[in-house]
Amino acid sequence: MAQPCVICDNLGGRPSDLLVQLRHNWVTAPARACLPGYVCLVARQHVVEPFELAEQGEWWAECMAVARAVKVTLRSPKINYEIHGNTIPHLHLHLYPRFDGDPFAGRPIDGTDLRFERSADALELLRTGIEGRLTT
């Protein structure tokens, strides 16, 4: 039996902490995060693996456009990318903007270490940065 999907079974069929709705993805950003610029892109089509997507190229291009927007908005020297899906069986891509001296310098990112409380202004900066760069 397939594992239930907390995203699809959620009220309204959308993930929580929705920041931006795009054609192929929802961009989410919780108030508490492991890094200040962290966002997660959740595929709007329910699949577990990227190769199961009907429009793989368009999905990936949209993910990369969001990554670029986050990088430019926050002036991050590097973005790290993670796709897992073993805990939540719905395709989602974690974007971790990296900075010199961030808490995970020289070691793997611990996504459960929610040490940053992001203000409404910080989340709005991400939202406007993503929306502004995806529409221009």
Side-chain angles (χ1 to χ4, degrees), residues 23-25 53-65:
R23 181 166 179 235
H24 299 284
N25 290 285
L53 286 165
E55 297 176 331
Q56 293 173 26
E58 293 87 346
W59 177 82
W60 190 251
E62 192 173 87
C63 289
M64 295 303 96

Side-chain angles (χ1 to χ4, degrees), residues 13-106:
R14 295 180 180 191
S16 58
D17 304 313
L18 184 61
L19 189 68
V20 178
Q21 181 171 299
L22 301 171
R23 181 166 179 235
H24 299 284
N25 290 285
W26 291 294
V27 182
T28 65
R32 292 185 58 89
C34 61
L35 288 169
Y38 166 77
V39 298
C40 184
L41 289 96
V42 179
R44 292 185 61 181
Q45 178 187 354
H46 176 82
V47 297
V48 177
E49 304 293 346
F51 59 76
E52 297 172 330
L53 286 165
E55 297 176 331
Q56 293 173 26
E58 293 87 346
W59 177 82
W60 190 251
E62 192 173 87
C63 289
M64 295 303 96
V66 170
R68 180 180 295 113
V70 169
K71 181 179 173 82
V72 169
T73 298
L74 300 179
R75 296 184 176 108
S76 170
K78 173 71 176 102
I79 301 283
N80 284 15
Y81 307 81
E82 291 186 16
I83 297 176
H84 301 284
N86 49 309
T87 303
I88 298 175
H90 188 116
L91 178 60
H92 56 287
L93 170 66
H94 301 276
L95 297 179
Y96 298 104
R98 302 302 303 269
F99 296 92
D100 291 336
D102 75 37
F104 304 105

Side-chain angles (χ1 to χ4, degrees), residues 116-127:
F116 292 96
E117 182 73 35
R118 302 187 291 182
S119 68
D121 288 344
L123 294 172
E124 180 64 11
L125 175 69
L126 279 170
R127 185 188 69 72

